[in-house]
Amino acid sequence: MAQANRVVVSGRLVELDTLRHTPGGVSVLKFRLQHDSSQVQAGGERKVSCEIAAVAFEREAKLLAAAKLGSSVRVTGFLAARSRASRALVLHAAQIEFEPGE
């Protein structure tokens, strides 16, 4: 699978839903990340702060189900529309890494 379109976001876990399972038995967990950083734009520094809706499946969903709110994580994945009816973006987590000390 090509990695060129992967998104990497770091942040704190601010919301964790209950671990659920699809009718096919796939583990799924919805969560939200709080991302804060400083970025350079047009030659100046810009503070960035946002919440990101995300979803994890299988191994990553089980890892997050055991995590504590406030934990710092690095999520690698891809962006997709929430549904056919909603074009709001959701980060689909392909890999979760907990920051040291978490």
Side-chain angles (χ1 to χ4, degrees):
M1 175 179 252
Q3 296 292 316
N5 293 323
R6 293 290 178 173
V7 173
V8 179
V9 178
S10 59
R12 290 179 302 104
L13 294 172
V14 293
E15 187 177 310
L16 287 168
D17 282 359
T18 304
L19 181 66
R20 301 190 186 279
H21 295 85
T22 67
V26 176
S27 301
V28 60
L29 187 138
K30 293 178 182 178
F31 64 104
R32 293 186 76 76
L33 285 178
Q34 174 65 44
H35 170 81
D36 296 297
S37 66
S38 294
Q39 303 295 321
V40 176
Q41 183 178 39
E45 187 173 310
R46 178 179 178 185
K47 299 281 185 190
V48 176
S49 182
C50 61
E51 277 194 16
I52 302 166
V55 63
F57 295 90
E58 292 295 0
R59 177 183 173 276
E60 277 60 39
K62 292 172 187 172
L63 279 173
L64 286 170
K68 294 179 183 174
L69 286 178
S71 296
S72 294
V73 295
R74 179 181 162 117
V75 179
T76 303
F78 62 92
L79 296 172
R82 181 178 305 278
S83 66
R84 289 182 188 175
S86 171
R87 303 312 296 165
L89 291 178
V90 175
L91 174 61
H92 286 248
Q95 182 178 4
I96 305 284
E97 297 174 54
F98 289 88
E99 298 294 331
E102 297 297 324

